[in-house]
Amino acid sequence: MDRKLKVLCFHPALAPYRVDFFNLLARQVDLEVAFLMENLKNQKLDQVSLRGQAHFKYRLLTQGFEIKGRLWRCGIGRL
């Protein structure tokens, strides 16, 4: 039986330098990445293009709130 290790990763948002890393990791394990924001606060990256290059499972956790610069997201427990 050949089963891959399952990995769930939480990351703020998809950045260009992370796409290759996540794609490489997804070839080794069953990877799902949960992004906590649609885009980085201080950068406006082309997320449509970046997500088009993603060969891994991902989801956006955008429901929640922020207190003193810290994100609190709903749905993490279900993952």
Side-chain angles (χ1 to χ4, degrees):
M1 185 188 293
D2 185 28
R3 295 187 342 186
K4 282 188 170 183
L5 177 69
K6 288 187 173 198
V7 174
L8 174 61
C9 177
F10 294 92
H11 203 270
L14 186 56
Y17 54 87
R18 290 283 183 230
V19 174
D20 290 337
F21 172 73
F22 286 142
N23 284 338
L24 178 66
L25 189 57
R27 283 186 285 213
Q28 305 299 318
V29 298
D30 183 10
L31 175 68
E32 181 172 356
V33 181
F35 294 112
L36 304 177
M37 295 182 287
E38 294 247 5
N39 213 337
L40 297 171
K41 285 184 179 183
N42 57 352
Q43 298 176 355
K44 298 301 175 209
L45 303 170
D46 184 1
Q47 290 294 318
V48 173
S49 173
L50 290 173
R51 291 183 192 135
Q53 298 172 39
H55 300 293
F56 53 89
K57 293 180 279 187
Y58 66 88
R59 65 177 71 200
L60 297 173
L61 295 178
T62 57
Q63 297 293 320
F65 52 92
E66 184 175 338
I67 298 176
K68 295 184 180 180
R70 299 200 48 102
L71 294 174
W72 298 86
R73 293 296 187 221
C74 302
I76 289 176
R78 284 178 295 206
L79 292 178

Coordinates of all heavy atoms in Angstrom, one line a residue:
M1 N 0.8 -1.2 0.0 CA 0.0 0.0 0.0 C 0.9 1.2 0.0 O 1.7 1.4 0.9 CB -0.9 0.0 1.2 CG -1.9 1.1 1.3 SD -2.8 1.3 2.8 CE -3.8 -0.2 2.8
D2 N 0.7 2.1 -1.0 CA 1.5 3.3 -1.1 C 0.7 4.5 -0.8 O 0.0 5.0 -1.6 CB 2.1 3.4 -2.6 CG 3.0 4.6 -2.7 OD1 3.7 4.9 -1.8 OD2 3.1 5.1 -3.9
R3 N 0.8 5.0 0.5 CA 0.0 6.1 0.9 C 1.0 7.3 1.2 O 2.1 7.1 1.7 CB -0.7 5.8 2.2 CG -1.7 4.8 2.1 CD -2.6 4.5 3.3 NE -2.1 5.0 4.5 CZ -2.6 4.8 5.7 NH1 -3.7 4.1 5.8 NH2 -2.1 5.3 6.8
K4 N 0.5 8.5 0.7 CA 1.3 9.7 1.0 C 1.0 10.3 2.3 O -0.2 10.2 2.8 CB 1.0 10.7 -0.1 CG 1.7 10.5 -1.4 CD 1.5 11.7 -2.3 CE 2.4 11.6 -3.5 NZ 2.2 12.8 -4.4
L5 N 1.9 10.9 2.9 CA 1.7 11.6 4.1 C 0.9 12.8 3.8 O 1.1 13.5 2.8 CB 3.1 12.1 4.7 CG 3.1 12.9 5.9 CD1 2.7 12.1 7.1 CD2 4.5 13.5 6.2
K6 N -0.1 13.1 4.7 CA -1.0 14.3 4.5 C -0.4 15.4 5.3 O -0.1 15.3 6.5 CB -2.4 14.0 5.0 CG -3.1 13.1 4.1 CD -4.6 13.0 4.5 CE -5.4 12.2 3.5 NZ -6.8 12.4 3.6
V7 N -0.3 16.6 4.7 CA 0.2 17.8 5.3 C -0.8 18.9 5.1 O -1.2 19.2 4.0 CB 1.6 18.2 4.8 CG1 2.1 19.5 5.3 CG2 2.6 17.1 5.0
L8 N -1.1 19.6 6.2 CA -2.0 20.8 6.2 C -1.1 22.0 6.6 O -0.5 21.9 7.7 CB -3.2 20.6 7.1 CG -4.1 21.9 7.2 CD1 -4.7 22.3 5.9 CD2 -5.2 21.6 8.3
C9 N -1.0 23.0 5.8 CA -0.1 24.1 6.0 C -1.0 25.4 6.1 O -1.8 25.6 5.2 CB 0.9 24.2 4.9 SG 2.0 25.6 5.1
F10 N -0.7 26.2 7.1 CA -1.4 27.5 7.2 C -0.3 28.6 6.8 O 0.8 28.5 7.3 CB -1.9 27.8 8.6 CG -3.0 26.9 9.0 CD1 -2.8 25.7 9.6 CD2 -4.3 27.2 8.7 CE1 -3.8 24.8 10.0 CE2 -5.4 26.3 9.0 CZ -5.1 25.1 9.7
H11 N -0.7 29.5 5.9 CA 0.2 30.5 5.4 C -0.6 31.8 5.2 O -1.8 31.7 4.8 CB 0.8 30.0 4.1 CG 2.1 30.7 3.8 ND1 2.2 31.8 3.1 CD2 3.4 30.3 4.1 CE1 3.5 32.2 3.0 NE2 4.2 31.3 3.6
P12 N 0.0 32.9 5.4 CA -0.7 34.2 5.3 C -1.3 34.4 3.9 O -2.5 34.6 3.8 CB 0.3 35.3 5.6 CG 1.4 34.6 6.4 CD 1.4 33.2 5.9
A13 N -0.6 34.3 2.9 CA -1.1 34.5 1.5 C -0.1 33.9 0.5 O 1.1 33.7 0.9 CB -1.3 35.9 1.2
L14 N -0.5 33.6 -0.7 CA 0.4 33.1 -1.7 C 1.3 34.1 -2.2 O 0.9 35.2 -2.7 CB -0.4 32.4 -2.8 CG 0.4 31.7 -3.9 CD1 1.2 30.6 -3.2 CD2 -0.5 31.1 -4.9
A15 N 2.6 33.9 -2.2 CA 3.6 34.8 -2.7 C 4.4 34.1 -3.9 O 4.4 32.9 -3.9 CB 4.6 35.2 -1.6
P16 N 4.9 34.9 -4.8 CA 5.6 34.2 -6.0 C 6.7 33.3 -5.6 O 6.9 32.2 -6.2 CB 6.2 35.4 -6.7 CG 5.4 36.6 -6.3 CD 5.0 36.3 -4.9
Y17 N 7.5 33.6 -4.5 CA 8.6 32.7 -4.1 C 8.1 31.5 -3.4 O 8.9 30.6 -3.2 CB 9.6 33.5 -3.3 CG 9.0 34.2 -2.1 CD1 8.8 33.5 -0.9 CD2 8.5 35.5 -2.2 CE1 8.2 34.1 0.2 CE2 8.0 36.1 -1.1 CZ 7.8 35.4 0.1 OH 7.3 36.0 1.2
R18 N 6.8 31.3 -3.1 CA 6.3 30.2 -2.4 C 5.6 29.2 -3.4 O 5.5 28.0 -3.0 CB 5.3 30.6 -1.4 CG 5.8 31.2 -0.2 CD 6.5 30.2 0.7 NE 7.0 30.9 1.9 CZ 8.2 30.8 2.4 NH1 9.0 30.0 1.8 NH2 8.6 31.4 3.5
V19 N 5.3 29.6 -4.6 CA 4.6 28.7 -5.5 C 5.4 27.5 -5.8 O 5.0 26.3 -5.7 CB 4.2 29.5 -6.8 CG1 3.6 28.5 -7.8 CG2 3.3 30.6 -6.5
D20 N 6.7 27.7 -6.2 CA 7.6 26.5 -6.5 C 7.8 25.6 -5.3 O 7.8 24.4 -5.5 CB 8.9 27.0 -7.0 CG 8.8 27.7 -8.4 OD1 7.8 27.4 -9.1 OD2 9.7 28.5 -8.8
F21 N 7.9 26.2 -4.1 CA 8.1 25.4 -2.9 C 6.9 24.6 -2.6 O 7.0 23.4 -2.4 CB 8.4 26.3 -1.7 CG 8.5 25.6 -0.4 CD1 9.5 24.8 -0.1 CD2 7.4 25.7 0.5 CE1 9.5 24.1 1.1 CE2 7.4 25.1 1.7 CZ 8.5 24.2 2.0
F22 N 5.7 25.1 -2.7 CA 4.5 24.4 -2.4 C 4.3 23.3 -3.5 O 3.9 22.2 -3.2 CB 3.3 25.3 -2.3 CG 3.2 26.1 -1.0 CD1 2.8 27.4 -1.0 CD2 3.6 25.5 0.2 CE1 2.7 28.1 0.1 CE2 3.5 26.3 1.4 CZ 3.1 27.6 1.3
N23 N 4.6 23.6 -4.8 CA 4.4 22.6 -5.8 C 5.4 21.5 -5.6 O 5.0 20.3 -5.8 CB 4.7 23.3 -7.2 CG 3.5 24.1 -7.7 OD1 2.4 23.9 -7.2 ND2 3.8 25.0 -8.6
L24 N 6.6 21.7 -5.2 CA 7.6 20.7 -4.9 C 7.2 19.8 -3.8 O 7.2 18.6 -3.8 CB 9.0 21.3 -4.7 CG 10.1 20.4 -4.3 CD1 10.4 19.5 -5.5 CD2 11.3 21.1 -3.8
L25 N 6.7 20.5 -2.7 CA 6.2 19.8 -1.6 C 5.0 18.9 -1.9 O 4.9 17.7 -1.4 CB 5.9 20.7 -0.4 CG 5.6 20.2 0.9 CD1 6.7 19.3 1.5 CD2 5.3 21.3 1.9
A26 N 4.1 19.4 -2.8 CA 2.9 18.6 -3.1 C 3.3 17.4 -3.9 O 2.5 16.4 -3.9 CB 2.0 19.5 -4.0
R27 N 4.4 17.3 -4.6 CA 4.9 16.1 -5.3 C 5.3 15.0 -4.3 O 5.3 13.9 -4.6 CB 6.0 16.4 -6.3 CG 5.5 17.1 -7.5 CD 6.6 17.2 -8.5 NE 7.4 18.3 -8.0 CZ 8.1 19.2 -8.8 NH1 8.0 19.0 -10.1 NH2 8.8 20.1 -8.3
Q28 N 5.7 15.5 -3.1 CA 6.2 14.5 -2.1 C 5.1 14.0 -1.1 O 5.2 12.9 -0.6 CB 7.4 15.2 -1.3 CG 8.5 15.7 -2.2 CD 9.2 14.6 -3.0 OE1 9.4 13.5 -2.4 NE2 9.5 14.9 -4.2
V29 N 4.2 14.9 -0.8 CA 3.2 14.6 0.2 C 1.8 15.1 -0.4 O 1.7 15.8 -1.4 CB 3.4 15.3 1.5 CG1 4.7 14.8 2.1 CG2 3.4 16.8 1.4
D30 N 0.7 14.7 0.3 CA -0.6 15.1 0.0 C -0.8 16.5 0.7 O -1.1 16.5 1.9 CB -1.6 14.1 0.4 CG -3.0 14.5 0.1 OD1 -3.2 15.4 -0.7 OD2 -4.0 13.8 0.6
L31 N -0.6 17.6 0.0 CA -0.5 18.9 0.6 C -1.8 19.7 0.4 O -2.3 19.7 -0.7 CB 0.7 19.7 0.0 CG 0.8 21.1 0.4 CD1 1.2 21.2 1.9 CD2 1.8 21.8 -0.5
E32 N -2.2 20.3 1.4 CA -3.3 21.3 1.3 C -2.8 22.5 2.1 O -2.4 22.4 3.2 CB -4.6 20.8 1.9 CG -5.7 21.8 1.8 CD -7.1 21.3 2.2 OE1 -7.2 20.1 2.5 OE2 -8.0 22.1 2.2
V33 N -2.9 23.7 1.5 CA -2.5 24.9 2.1 C -3.7 25.8 2.3 O -4.6 26.0 1.4 CB -1.5 25.7 1.2 CG1 -1.0 27.0 1.9 CG2 -0.3 24.8 0.8
A34 N -3.8 26.3 3.6 CA -4.9 27.2 3.9 C -4.4 28.6 4.0 O -3.5 28.9 4.9 CB -5.6 26.8 5.2
F35 N -4.8 29.5 3.1 CA -4.3 30.9 3.1 C -5.2 31.7 4.0 O -6.4 31.6 3.9 CB -4.2 31.4 1.7 CG -3.2 30.7 0.9 CD1 -3.6 29.9 -0.2 CD2 -1.8 30.8 1.1 CE1 -2.6 29.3 -1.0 CE2 -0.9 30.2 0.4 CZ -1.3 29.4 -0.7
L36 N -4.6 32.5 4.9 CA -5.4 33.3 5.8 C -5.9 34.6 5.3 O -6.7 35.3 5.9 CB -4.6 33.5 7.1 CG -4.1 32.2 7.8 CD1 -3.2 32.5 9.0 CD2 -5.3 31.3 8.1
M37 N -5.3 35.1 4.1 CA -5.7 36.3 3.5 C -5.7 36.1 2.0 O -5.0 35.2 1.5 CB -4.6 37.4 3.8 CG -4.6 37.8 5.3 SD -3.4 39.1 5.6 CE -1.8 38.3 5.4
E38 N -6.5 36.9 1.3 CA -6.5 36.9 -0.1 C -5.2 37.4 -0.7 O -4.7 36.8 -1.7 CB -7.6 37.8 -0.7 CG -9.0 37.3 -0.3 CD -9.8 36.8 -1.5 OE1 -9.2 36.8 -2.6 OE2 -10.9 36.5 -1.3
N39 N -4.6 38.4 -0.1 CA -3.3 38.9 -0.6 C -2.6 39.5 0.6 O -3.2 39.8 1.6 CB -3.6 40.1 -1.6 CG -2.6 40.1 -2.7 OD1 -1.4 39.7 -2.5 ND2 -2.9 40.7 -3.8
L40 N -1.3 39.7 0.5 CA -0.5 40.2 1.5 C -0.9 41.7 1.7 O -1.2 42.4 0.8 CB 1.0 40.1 1.2 CG 1.5 38.7 1.1 CD1 3.0 38.7 0.5 CD2 1.5 38.0 2.4
K41 N -0.9 42.2 3.0 CA -1.3 43.5 3.3 C -0.4 44.6 2.6 O -0.9 45.5 2.1 CB -1.3 43.8 4.8 CG -2.4 43.1 5.5 CD -2.3 43.5 7.0 CE -3.4 42.9 7.8 NZ -3.3 43.3 9.2
N42 N 0.9 44.4 2.6 CA 1.8 45.4 2.1 C 2.2 45.2 0.6 O 3.0 45.9 0.1 CB 3.0 45.5 3.0 CG 3.7 44.2 3.1 OD1 3.3 43.2 2.6 ND2 4.9 44.2 3.6
Q43 N 1.6 44.2 0.0 CA 1.9 43.9 -1.4 C 0.6 43.5 -2.2 O -0.2 42.8 -1.6 CB 2.9 42.8 -1.6 CG 4.2 43.1 -0.9 CD 5.2 41.9 -1.0 OE1 4.8 40.8 -1.4 NE2 6.4 42.0 -0.5
K44 N 0.5 44.0 -3.4 CA -0.7 43.7 -4.2 C -0.2 42.8 -5.3 O 0.1 43.3 -6.4 CB -1.4 44.9 -4.7 CG -1.9 45.8 -3.6 CD -2.9 45.0 -2.7 CE -3.3 45.8 -1.5 NZ -3.7 45.0 -0.4
L45 N -0.2 41.5 -5.1 CA 0.3 40.5 -6.1 C -0.8 40.1 -6.9 O -2.0 40.0 -6.5 CB 1.0 39.4 -5.4 CG 2.1 39.7 -4.4 CD1 2.6 38.5 -3.6 CD2 3.3 40.2 -5.2
D46 N -0.6 39.6 -8.1 CA -1.6 39.1 -9.0 C -1.9 37.6 -8.6 O -1.3 36.7 -9.0 CB -1.0 39.1 -10.5 CG -2.1 38.6 -11.5 OD1 -3.2 38.3 -11.1 OD2 -1.7 38.6 -12.7
Q47 N -2.9 37.5 -7.7 CA -3.2 36.2 -7.1 C -3.8 35.3 -8.1 O -3.6 34.1 -8.0 CB -4.2 36.4 -5.9 CG -3.5 37.1 -4.7 CD -2.5 36.1 -4.1 OE1 -2.6 34.9 -4.0 NE2 -1.3 36.7 -3.7
V48 N -4.5 35.8 -9.1 CA -5.1 34.9 -10.1 C -4.0 34.2 -10.9 O -4.1 33.0 -11.1 CB -6.0 35.8 -11.1 CG1 -6.5 34.9 -12.3 CG2 -7.2 36.4 -10.4
S49 N -3.0 34.9 -11.3 CA -1.9 34.3 -12.0 C -1.1 33.3 -11.1 O -0.8 32.2 -11.5 CB -0.9 35.4 -12.5 OG 0.2 34.8 -13.0
L50 N -0.9 33.7 -9.8 CA -0.1 32.9 -8.9 C -0.9 31.6 -8.6 O -0.4 30.5 -8.6 CB 0.1 33.6 -7.6 CG 1.1 34.7 -7.6 CD1 1.2 35.4 -6.3 CD2 2.5 34.2 -8.0
R51 N -2.2 31.7 -8.4 CA -3.0 30.5 -8.1 C -3.1 29.6 -9.4 O -3.3 28.4 -9.2 CB -4.4 30.9 -7.6 CG -4.3 31.5 -6.2 CD -5.7 31.8 -5.7 NE -5.6 32.6 -4.5 CZ -6.3 33.7 -4.3 NH1 -7.2 34.1 -5.1 NH2 -6.1 34.4 -3.2
G52 N -3.0 30.2 -10.5 CA -3.0 29.4 -11.8 C -1.8 28.5 -11.9 O -1.8 27.5 -12.6
Q53 N -0.7 28.9 -11.2 CA 0.5 28.1 -11.3 C 0.5 27.1 -10.2 O 1.4 26.2 -10.1 CB 1.7 29.0 -11.1 CG 1.9 30.1 -12.1 CD 3.0 31.1 -11.8 OE1 4.0 30.7 -11.2 NE2 2.8 32.3 -12.1
A54 N -0.4 27.1 -9.3 CA -0.5 26.2 -8.1 C -0.9 24.8 -8.5 O -1.9 24.6 -9.1 CB -1.4 26.7 -7.0
H55 N -0.1 23.8 -8.2 CA -0.4 22.4 -8.5 C -0.6 21.7 -7.1 O -0.2 20.5 -7.0 CB 0.7 21.7 -9.3 CG 0.9 22.4 -10.6 ND1 0.0 22.4 -11.6 CD2 2.0 23.1 -11.1 CE1 0.4 23.0 -12.6 NE2 1.6 23.5 -12.3
F56 N -1.2 22.4 -6.2 CA -1.5 21.8 -4.9 C -2.9 22.3 -4.5 O -3.5 23.2 -5.0 CB -0.5 22.3 -3.9 CG -0.3 23.8 -3.8 CD1 -1.0 24.5 -2.9 CD2 0.7 24.4 -4.6 CE1 -0.9 25.9 -2.9 CE2 0.9 25.7 -4.5 CZ 0.1 26.5 -3.7
K57 N -3.5 21.6 -3.5 CA -4.8 21.9 -3.0 C -4.7 23.1 -2.1 O -3.7 23.2 -1.3 CB -5.5 20.8 -2.3 CG -5.8 19.6 -3.1 CD -6.4 18.5 -2.3 CE -5.3 17.8 -1.6 NZ -5.7 16.6 -0.9
Y58 N -5.6 24.1 -2.2 CA -5.6 25.2 -1.3 C -7.0 25.7 -1.1 O -7.9 25.4 -1.8 CB -4.7 26.4 -1.9 CG -5.2 27.0 -3.2 CD1 -6.1 28.0 -3.1 CD2 -4.9 26.5 -4.4 CE1 -6.7 28.6 -4.3 CE2 -5.4 27.1 -5.6 CZ -6.2 28.1 -5.5 OH -6.8 28.7 -6.6
R59 N -7.1 26.5 0.0 CA -8.4 27.1 0.3 C -8.1 28.5 0.9 O -7.0 28.6 1.5 CB -9.3 26.3 1.1 CG -8.8 26.0 2.5 CD -9.7 25.2 3.3 NE -9.8 23.8 2.8 CZ -10.8 23.0 3.1 NH1 -11.8 23.4 3.8 NH2 -10.8 21.8 2.6
L60 N -9.0 29.4 0.8 CA -8.9 30.7 1.4 C -9.7 30.7 2.7 O -10.9 30.4 2.6 CB -9.3 31.8 0.5 CG -8.5 31.9 -0.8 CD1 -9.2 32.9 -1.7 CD2 -7.1 32.3 -0.5
L61 N -9.1 31.1 3.8 CA -9.9 31.3 5.1 C -10.0 32.8 5.3 O -9.1 33.4 5.9 CB -9.2 30.6 6.2 CG -9.1 29.1 6.2 CD1 -8.3 28.5 7.4 CD2 -10.4 28.4 6.1
T62 N -11.0 33.4 4.8 CA -11.1 34.8 4.9 C -12.2 35.3 5.9 O -12.3 36.5 6.2 CB -11.4 35.4 3.5 OG1 -12.6 34.9 3.0 CG2 -10.3 35.2 2.5
Q63 N -13.0 34.4 6.4 CA -14.0 34.7 7.4 C -13.3 34.8 8.8 O -12.6 33.9 9.2 CB -15.1 33.6 7.5 CG -15.9 33.5 6.2 CD -16.7 34.7 5.9 OE1 -17.3 35.3 6.8 NE2 -16.7 35.1 4.6
G64 N -13.5 36.0 9.4 CA -12.9 36.2 10.8 C -12.7 37.6 11.0 O -13.3 38.5 10.4
F65 N -11.8 37.9 11.9 CA -11.5 39.3 12.3 C -10.1 39.5 12.7 O -9.3 38.5 12.8 CB -12.4 39.7 13.5 CG -12.4 38.8 14.6 CD1 -11.5 39.0 15.7 CD2 -13.2 37.6 14.7 CE1 -11.5 38.1 16.8 CE2 -13.2 36.8 15.8 CZ -12.3 37.0 16.8
E66 N -9.7 40.7 13.0 CA -8.3 41.1 13.3 C -8.3 41.9 14.6 O -9.1 42.8 14.8 CB -7.7 41.9 12.2 CG -6.2 42.2 12.4 CD -5.6 42.9 11.2 OE1 -6.1 42.7 10.1 OE2 -4.6 43.5 11.4
I67 N -7.4 41.5 15.5 CA -7.3 42.3 16.8 C -5.8 42.6 17.0 O -5.0 41.6 17.0 CB -7.8 41.5 18.0 CG1 -9.3 41.2 17.9 CG2 -7.5 42.2 19.3 CD1 -9.8 40.3 19.0
K68 N -5.5 43.9 17.0 CA -4.1 44.3 17.2 C -3.1 43.7 16.3 O -2.1 43.2 16.6 CB -3.7 44.1 18.7 CG -4.4 44.9 19.7 CD -3.9 44.7 21.1 CE -4.7 45.6 22.0 NZ -4.3 45.4 23.4
G69 N -3.5 43.6 15.0 CA -2.7 43.0 14.0 C -2.6 41.5 13.9 O -1.9 41.0 13.0
R70 N -3.4 40.8 14.7 CA -3.4 39.3 14.7 C -4.7 38.9 14.0 O -5.8 39.4 14.4 CB -3.2 38.8 16.1 CG -1.9 39.2 16.6 CD -1.4 38.3 17.8 NE -1.5 36.9 17.6 CZ -0.4 36.2 17.3 NH1 0.8 36.7 17.1 NH2 -0.5 34.9 17.3
L71 N -4.6 38.0 13.1 CA -5.8 37.4 12.4 C -6.4 36.3 13.2 O -5.7 35.4 13.7 CB -5.4 36.9 11.0 CG -4.9 37.9 10.0 CD1 -4.4 37.2 8.8 CD2 -6.0 38.9 9.7
W72 N -7.7 36.3 13.3 CA -8.5 35.2 13.9 C -9.4 34.7 12.9 O -10.3 35.5 12.4 CB -9.2 35.8 15.2 CG -8.3 36.3 16.2 CD1 -7.8 37.5 16.3 CD2 -7.8 35.5 17.3 NE1 -6.9 37.6 17.4 CE2 -6.9 36.4 18.0 CE3 -7.9 34.2 17.7 CZ2 -6.2 36.0 19.1 CZ3 -7.2 33.8 18.8 CH2 -6.4 34.7 19.5
R73 N -9.2 33.5 12.4 CA -10.0 33.0 11.3 C -11.0 31.9 11.7 O -10.6 31.0 12.6 CB -9.1 32.4 10.2 CG -8.3 33.5 9.5 CD -9.2 34.5 8.8 NE -8.5 35.4 8.0 CZ -8.8 36.7 7.9 NH1 -9.8 37.2 8.6 NH2 -8.1 37.5 7.2
C74 N -12.2 31.9 11.2 CA -13.2 30.9 11.4 C -12.9 29.8 10.5 O -12.5 30.0 9.3 CB -14.6 31.5 11.2 SG -15.0 32.9 12.2
G75 N -13.2 28.5 10.9 CA -13.0 27.4 10.0 C -11.8 26.6 10.2 O -11.6 25.5 9.6
I76 N -10.8 27.1 11.0 CA -9.6 26.3 11.2 C -9.8 25.0 11.9 O -9.2 24.0 11.5 CB -8.6 27.2 12.0 CG1 -8.1 28.4 11.1 CG2 -7.4 26.4 12.4 CD1 -7.2 29.3 11.8
G77 N -10.7 25.0 12.9 CA -11.0 23.7 13.6 C -11.6 22.7 12.7 O -11.3 21.5 12.9
R78 N -12.3 23.0 11.7 CA -12.9 22.0 10.8 C -11.8 21.4 9.9 O -12.0 20.3 9.4 CB -14.0 22.6 9.9 CG -15.3 22.9 10.6 CD -16.2 23.5 9.7 NE -15.7 24.8 9.4 CZ -16.4 25.9 9.1 NH1 -17.6 25.8 8.9 NH2 -15.8 27.0 8.9
L79 N -10.8 22.1 9.6 CA -9.7 21.6 8.7 C -9.0 20.4 9.5 O -8.5 19.5 8.9 CB -8.7 22.7 8.3 CG -9.3 23.7 7.4 CD1 -8.2 24.8 7.1 CD2 -9.8 23.1 6.1

